[in-house]
Amino acid sequence: ARRRLKAPRGLILDRDGEVLARNRAAFSIHLTRGSSASDAAAIAALEAATGVSVHLGKRGRERTVRLKRDVDFPHTVAIVEERLRDEWPLRIEIEPQRLYPEGDIVAHLIGYMGEKQDDLISPVGHPYVAGDYVGQTGLERVYEDNLRGWDGVNYVEVDVRERVINEHPFPARERPPRPGRDLRLTIDLDIQRAASSALPDSLAGSVVALDARNGAVLALVSHPSFDPNVFVSYGSQAERRQLIKDPAKPMLNRAIQGGYPPGSTLKMIGAVAALENGITDTLTTFPACAGSLQVGDVVFRCFNREGHGELNLLEAVEMSCNIYFNHLAQILGIEAWHDYGSRFGFGAPTGIDLDPSELTGILPDRQYHQEREGWVTGHLMNLVIGQGFMLVTPLQMARYVAALGNGGYLVTPHLHGEAPDPVRIEGVPDATLDIVRRAMYRVVHGEHGTGRRARIAGIKLAGKSGTAQGPRADDDAWFVAFAPYEEPEIAVAVVIEGGGGGGANAAPVARAVMEAYFEDQARHRAMAADTGGGHRGS
């Protein structure tokens, strides 16, 4: 009789070698099939002796079938091995089963595995067998062919009752299993944990942290989350059903599939477009902000109902004045605004290697509105402050703020392998970016900055808060940032659904993530100094 030897799946590791997905030994009951009558008799004996309920599926090509996986040790294992095996064609096999030691902290990144019901051939020619566990989402699915390895085979000699009488009759024909390849990620588990811990337990949200220089994903968190171990535990069907039906949507990867109005964090698009079109500079002011602005029959309001007075661009970003940007938008026009929004990657996928595929978001143009409710200038008044029909993902926002910080290069977020080359954004010179960066610096370090709660002692950083009206009763809280200010290494985007003020509630989350990054860098520098080695890159 021919037996398949299941290959251990490759490990998934963070960038420092911390294990995010590994394998554990699980005990399964297997049956060597004979006639329908003998199969039924063996199953009846098993059920009577162990209390384990077994369903035998349709006969396939495999002579040996798995009746039950992950049975308890030592009770059920001992009964099969000591009481049943000599009389019935039953045996216990040890198989590798996936284990996620970090549980919900990395669930949306790693994904989960599930049982494959049908026979199929993978793209690289590995045959699957019904009942095999395969990657269903996340990196487990994206890198399935790399992780799963090659199954081995051996042969056993059996008697007429299908009982094993010789374990290795043909040693020359045996082939040991080849383990899958390990997958080392760009993720830093320390930063991932910090991001997960910093988000409030009671509200949904997301955090994305990128290496601002090359797009390596340092952390990607979606809350609420789930324990991926329930999908590989054969006895957790009820928990799986509960997760899928949960109205809080813990299975949704908000970092790449959550579409949100970005609020004032988008104002830098209007600033860049206005600077490049000669509409404003660091000295230009518009009519003083009195807390509101009437355009036709519509009144647009600033979050400061008292008004900010007369401001220049740097002050308007620092204090997040809506009215300044409303005036700016009337001169700028939708075409120029949309053009620069597109250049910074909005309305398009980032290209990250994750599953399910990411949301593209919505970057509305004139035609978008004409096809729905008609175009009025008021649409742009909302869009320029990140409202209206504009939708972004946290990942898009992290890439956008990385580009503002790194000198105008659009990076490709990635989780494994070599970094794709960043692409220089056309038509955004260093002088323009320098002005916008200075404004973002004032958001955090200025006397009236809305992002003062993101400050980190001894580190200069730049950021922007946002408080966005969405479908929830309370506003969504946003904060985006890059640091250090002079030569950015990390870019962060935080959104908290119904979190209220971005400067008050999202900025501290971004600070916690950046603090974890700089503590991690300092620790590695100290380790390198102790060992005489070089300092690793990020």
Side-chain angles (χ1 to χ4, degrees):
R2 183 177 184 271
R3 287 181 178 175
R4 186 174 71 136
L5 303 176
K6 188 65 180 163
R9 198 168 177 85
L11 306 180
I12 301 179
L13 312 163
D14 90 333
R15 64 177 183 167
D16 292 326
E18 295 281 347
V19 177
L20 308 180
R22 61 180 178 86
N23 307 297
R24 70 173 181 88
F27 298 91
S28 299
I29 304 173
H30 288 246
L31 167 71
T32 303
R33 302 193 73 162
S35 67
S36 297
S38 65
D39 289 351
I43 290 172
L46 172 66
E47 291 180 331
T50 65
V52 171
S53 178
V54 174
H55 171 70
L56 184 61
K58 294 185 295 184
R59 183 180 290 272
R61 293 174 297 176
E62 293 291 319
R63 189 179 181 191
T64 300
V65 295
R66 182 193 298 107
L67 296 180
K68 199 78 172 178
R69 69 169 81 234
D70 201 16
V71 296
D72 65 299
F73 176 87
H75 177 70
T76 300
V77 172
I79 291 174
V80 174
E81 288 292 294
E82 296 173 10
R83 291 171 47 187
L84 299 176
R85 182 170 178 170
D86 288 343
E87 187 175 354
W88 303 100
L90 299 167
R91 71 176 188 277
I92 294 291
E93 285 198 4
I94 300 175
E95 298 180 319
Q97 186 182 64
R98 210 56 161 165
L99 180 67
Y100 303 104
E102 297 299 327
D104 61 355
I105 291 176
V106 293
H108 293 96
L109 277 166
I110 305 301
Y112 60 88
M113 299 183 68
E115 190 172 353
K116 185 64 184 176
Q117 300 298 331
D118 304 315
D119 292 358
L120 73 159
I121 301 294
S122 79
V124 295
H126 293 61
Y128 287 95
V129 174
D132 278 354
Y133 269 59
V134 300
Q136 300 284 348
T137 63
L139 296 170
E140 291 280 29
R141 176 164 180 153
V142 172
Y143 292 100
E144 168 69 19
D145 287 331
N146 299 71
L147 289 165
R148 64 177 294 233
W150 292 78
D151 293 337
V153 63
N154 74 347
Y155 296 85
V156 294
E157 187 178 355
V158 298
D159 62 16
V160 293
R161 299 183 65 182
E162 302 294 340
R163 295 175 301 185
V164 176
I165 58 176
N166 187 351
E167 288 281 358
H168 300 283
F170 309 112
R173 295 173 60 185
E174 294 185 359
R175 184 180 71 245
R178 283 165 41 195
R181 293 193 290 274
D182 294 346
L183 187 70
R184 187 177 287 262
L185 305 182
T186 60
I187 293 295
D188 188 303
L189 188 53
D190 293 329
I191 303 172
Q192 182 81 6
R193 285 177 177 146
S196 180
S197 298
L199 282 171
D201 290 336
S202 59
L203 297 174
S206 177
V207 179
V208 177
L210 301 179
D211 186 317
R213 300 161 293 191
N214 60 26
V217 181
L218 303 174
L220 187 148
V221 171
S222 179
H223 181 77
S225 189
F226 63 96
D227 184 357
N229 289 297
V230 305
F231 288 89
V232 291
S233 173
Y234 199 71
S236 301
Q237 289 94 332
E239 293 175 73
R240 290 195 285 273
R241 286 193 295 269
Q242 185 177 351
L243 281 172
I244 292 167
K245 294 178 180 179
D246 191 333
K249 298 182 178 179
M251 305 293 292
L252 175 67
N253 188 344
R254 288 167 163 81
I256 64 170
Q257 291 190 304
Y260 303 92
S264 293
T265 55
L266 199 72
K267 284 176 178 173
M268 286 81 78
I269 293 294
V272 170
L275 288 165
E276 283 306 298
N277 282 273
I279 292 168
T280 191
D281 53 30
T282 56
L283 300 177
T284 299
T285 61
F286 294 109
C289 168
S292 64
L293 175 65
Q294 184 163 347
V295 180
D297 296 332
V298 181
V299 176
F300 297 89
R301 300 193 181 279
C302 199
F303 82 90
N304 182 347
R305 299 304 171 90
E306 302 293 321
H308 289 107
E310 189 172 307
L311 304 174
N312 61 34
L313 177 63
L314 299 177
E315 294 165 333
V317 173
E318 176 184 351
M319 294 186 240
S320 202
C321 178
N322 288 349
I323 303 305
Y324 179 96
F325 282 89
N326 289 151
H327 283 298
L328 179 153
Q330 292 181 87
I331 306 170
L332 179 65
I334 181 66
E335 283 75 19
W337 176 86
H338 183 273
D339 176 28
Y340 281 90
S342 178
R343 294 187 198 198
F344 278 88
F346 294 111
T350 68
I352 192 172
D353 46 340
L354 258 183
D355 182 274
S357 58
E358 58 181 320
L359 198 71
T360 59
I362 300 175
L363 179 67
D365 57 9
R366 187 185 297 268
Q367 182 180 351
Y368 179 92
H369 289 91
Q370 287 174 339
E371 291 173 351
R372 285 160 178 79
E373 55 187 23
W375 171 259
V376 294
T377 302
H379 289 314
L380 181 56
M381 306 278 273
N382 281 324
L383 292 172
V384 78
I385 60 170
Q387 293 289 168
F389 290 94
M390 181 78 184
L391 290 179
V392 302
T393 68
L395 182 64
Q396 288 175 326
M397 292 301 288
R399 182 170 68 152
Y400 150 69
V401 75
L404 291 170
N406 68 19
Y409 288 87
L410 210 57
V411 297
T412 299
H414 60 282
L415 291 153
H416 169 68
E418 293 296 320
D421 290 336
V423 178
R424 186 70 163 88
I425 299 173
E426 294 183 3
V428 185
D430 292 342
T432 293
L433 286 172
D434 183 59
I435 293 171
V436 173
R437 285 159 52 94
R438 284 161 53 197
M440 293 175 67
Y441 178 86
R442 292 174 62 144
V443 168
V444 177
H445 298 281
E447 181 182 354
H448 304 290
T450 58
R452 296 189 299 277
R453 295 192 66 185
R455 291 177 183 173
I456 300 173
I459 295 174
K460 295 180 179 179
L461 59 104
K464 184 71 189 76
S465 61
T467 306
Q469 296 175 351
R472 285 160 285 278
D474 296 318
D475 295 338
D476 292 342
W478 275 98
F479 199 79
V480 298
F482 62 81
Y485 175 70
E486 293 85 357
E487 295 183 12
E489 299 173 14
I490 183 173
V492 180
V494 177
V495 64
I496 303 172
E497 296 180 12
N505 300 316
V509 177
R511 182 189 66 224
V513 173
M514 290 184 287
E515 283 177 336
Y517 171 81
F518 288 113
E519 288 170 6
D520 190 66
Q521 293 295 96
R523 185 164 55 251
H524 280 84
R525 281 194 295 269
M527 290 171 60
D530 289 342
T531 60
H535 172 53
R536 69 162 183 184
S538 300

